[in-house]
C-alpha cells in the first residue's frame, strides 16, 4: 500500500469521538471512567480509548430509550421520515470522514470503506421514504358478512441492535433505519473492534436533532460484552433484539442461551452475515 492515512488526519476528523452516547449526552463509563483501547488492525497502533461500559451503563441507556419510546412512537410518519432524510443527508455530507474512521479501525481499504458508506446510507434513504408508508389492513371476516377486521401496525418498543466489526456502518443503518422508521428507539452495541464508526453515526443523529434517548450507543470491551449482551437480551424493557455476528455467538449467547419467554421479545438473528440465514420469530 503506497499511501496510508496519516494519524494526524484521524485526530482532526470531526466525527472522531471518545465518549459513549446515552440520552442525548456524551458520557464516560460509570465505573471510574474505565476505557478500552481501539487499535488499527494492520499495525496495532493506538487509535483511541472509548468508554468500557458496564451493565449499569447499559441499564441507563435502555431506561433512556424506554422513556423516549412513548413520545417517539407518537411522532407522525412525516416527522420520522424528515428525521431520517436529514440523517441520510448528513451521512452523505460526511461520507469521507466516516470512510476514513472505518478504514482505520476495521482495516478495510479506503475504497471499500467509501463503498460501505454509500451502501449503508442507502438504507437510511430507503427507510426515510418507507417511513411514510406504515399502513394497516381492513379485511372481510371469513364467515360473517357484516364484520370487517381492522389491523394496525404499531411500534413494538425499544430495540437492541448488536452489530459486527466487518460492516460497522451498514449493519447499524440497516437495523436502526428500520427501527426508527417504525417508531422504535434503539440501543446500539457495536463490536468492540469498531466502536468509532458507531459513535460517528451517533454524532450525526445528534446533528440531525433526533430527540434524546431515541438513539443510544453503548461501547464495551470484549471482557464486558457477555454481561452487557445478556442484559440487552433479557431485560423486559427491550422488546426486540437484532443481532449480526458469528454463528458461535449467535447460537450460544443470543439465540439459545437465554430463556426469555416472559419478555415476549422478538429476535432477528443473522449469523456470519448470511442474509439467507436470517430468521425472525416471536418468543
Amino acid at each position: 500500500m503506497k499511501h496510508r492515512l496519516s494519524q494526524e488526519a484521524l485526530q482532526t476528523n470531526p466525527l472522531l469521538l471518545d465518549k459513549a452516547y446515552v440520552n442525548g449526552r456524551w458520557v464516560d463509563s460509570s465505573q471510574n471512567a474505565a476505557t478500552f483501547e481501539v487499535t488499527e488492525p494492520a499495525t496495532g497502533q493506538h487509535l483511541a480509548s472509548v468508554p468500557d461500559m458496564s451493565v449499569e451503563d447499559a441499564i441507563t441507556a435502555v431506561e433512556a430509550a424506554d422513556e423516549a419510546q412513548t413520545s417517539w412512537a407518537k411522532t407522525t410518519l412525516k416527522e420520522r421520515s424528515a428525521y431520517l432524510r436529514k440523517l441520510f443527508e448528513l451521512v452523505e455530507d460526511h461520507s469521507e470522514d466516516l470512510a476514513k474512521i472505518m478504514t482505520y479501525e476495521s482495516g478495510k481499504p479506503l475504497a471499500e470503506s467509501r463503498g460501505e458508506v454509500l451502501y449503508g446510507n442507502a438504507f437510511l434513504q430507503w427507510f426515510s421514504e418507507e417511513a411514510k408508508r406504515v399502513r394497516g389492513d381492513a379485511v372481510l371476516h371469513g364467515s360473517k358478512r357484516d364484520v370487517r377486521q381492522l389491523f394496525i401496525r404499531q411500534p413494538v418498543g425499544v430495540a437492541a441492535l448488536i452489530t459486527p466489526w466487518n460492516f460497522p456502518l451498514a449493519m447499524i443503518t440497516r437495523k436502526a433505519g428500520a427501527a426508527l422508521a417504525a417508531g422504535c428507539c434503539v440501543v446500539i452495541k457495536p463490536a468492540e473492534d469498531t466502536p468509532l464508526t458507531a459513535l460517528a453515526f451517533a454524532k450525526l443523529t445528534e446533528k440531525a436533532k433526533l430527540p434524546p434517548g431515541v438513539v443510544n450507543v453503548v461501547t464495551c470491551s470484549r471482557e464486558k460484552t457477555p454481561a452487557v449482551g445478556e442484559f440487552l437480551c433479557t431485560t423486559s424493557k427491550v422488546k426486540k433484539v437484532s443481532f449480526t455476528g458469528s454463528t458461535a455467538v449467535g447460537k450460544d449467547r443470543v439465540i439459545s442461551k437465554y430463556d426469555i419467554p416472559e419478555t415476549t421479545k422478538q429476535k432477528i438473528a443473522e449469523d456470519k452475515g448470511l442474509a439467507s440465514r436470517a430468521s425472525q420469530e416471536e418468543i
Side-chain angles (χ1 to χ4, degrees):
M1 189 173 177
K2 295 182 179 179
H3 173 70
R4 290 187 59 82
L5 296 172
S6 69
Q7 186 73 7
E8 181 183 358
L10 176 66
Q11 298 305 321
T12 58
N13 191 309
L15 296 185
L16 179 66
L17 282 304
D18 60 359
K19 307 283 187 185
Y21 189 63
V22 176
N23 202 21
R25 296 184 296 115
W26 296 96
V27 298
D28 292 312
S29 167
S30 63
Q31 295 189 343
N32 300 317
T35 62
F36 68 97
E37 188 179 32
V38 183
T39 60
E40 183 182 2
T43 64
Q45 184 178 13
H46 172 84
L47 298 177
S49 295
V50 299
D52 192 5
M53 305 188 85
S54 63
V55 172
E56 289 72 20
D57 296 308
I59 291 172
T60 300
V62 168
E63 288 178 345
D66 185 58
E67 185 174 343
Q69 179 59 42
T70 300
S71 58
W72 183 248
K74 290 181 179 178
T75 55
T76 66
L77 304 184
K78 183 178 180 181
E79 287 171 330
R80 296 204 291 265
S81 173
Y83 277 120
L84 285 168
R85 180 68 192 189
K86 180 62 175 177
L87 184 55
F88 160 77
E89 292 170 353
L90 285 166
V91 171
E92 192 170 49
D93 292 343
H94 290 273
S95 58
E96 193 68 7
D97 295 326
L98 285 163
K100 288 178 179 178
I101 289 175
M102 196 185 309
T103 286
Y104 270 113
E105 67 174 354
S106 73
K108 288 187 179 188
L110 187 56
E112 290 288 331
S113 295
R114 287 169 175 158
E116 183 178 337
V117 174
L118 290 173
Y119 168 64
N121 207 22
F123 290 117
L124 296 178
Q125 183 181 32
W126 170 266
F127 287 116
S128 72
E129 294 299 320
E130 287 301 296
K132 305 172 186 176
R133 304 185 180 97
V134 180
R135 300 188 178 101
D137 294 294
V139 298
L140 296 174
H141 193 278
S143 59
K144 298 179 180 179
R145 293 191 183 94
D146 58 344
V147 174
R148 301 291 184 272
Q149 295 174 318
L150 179 65
F151 297 89
I152 61 173
R153 292 182 171 88
Q154 296 179 318
V156 68
V158 175
L161 314 179
I162 303 173
T163 58
W165 68 270
N166 55 340
F167 286 93
L169 179 67
M171 288 299 98
I172 289 176
T173 57
R174 181 181 184 182
K175 298 172 187 291
L180 296 172
C184 299
C185 296
V186 300
V187 177
I188 301 167
K189 194 284 176 195
E192 59 273 11
D193 298 309
T194 54
L196 300 179
T197 302
L199 295 175
F201 173 79
K203 182 64 177 179
L204 296 182
T205 68
E206 182 185 47
K207 284 179 173 288
K209 300 188 184 305
L210 270 73
V214 172
V215 173
N216 307 272
V217 177
V218 174
T219 58
C220 65
S221 64
R222 185 169 280 105
E223 290 72 24
K224 290 185 180 177
T225 289
V228 171
E230 179 175 358
F231 167 72
L232 293 176
C233 288
T234 56
T235 175
S236 61
K237 290 186 177 180
V238 169
K239 302 303 182 183
K240 181 179 284 287
V241 174
S242 180
F243 165 83
T244 301
S246 69
T247 300
V249 173
K251 285 184 177 180
D252 297 339
R253 296 183 185 173
V254 177
I255 297 174
S256 61
K257 181 178 178 181
Y258 303 130
D259 181 20
I260 52 176
E262 71 278 3
T263 67
T264 61
K265 201 187 310 295
Q266 292 182 335
K267 67 185 178 188
I268 299 177
E270 185 179 346
D271 298 341
K272 284 192 173 179
L274 301 176
S276 61
R277 172 63 179 80
S279 65
Q280 178 176 345
E281 59 182 294
E282 187 170 343
I283 25 182

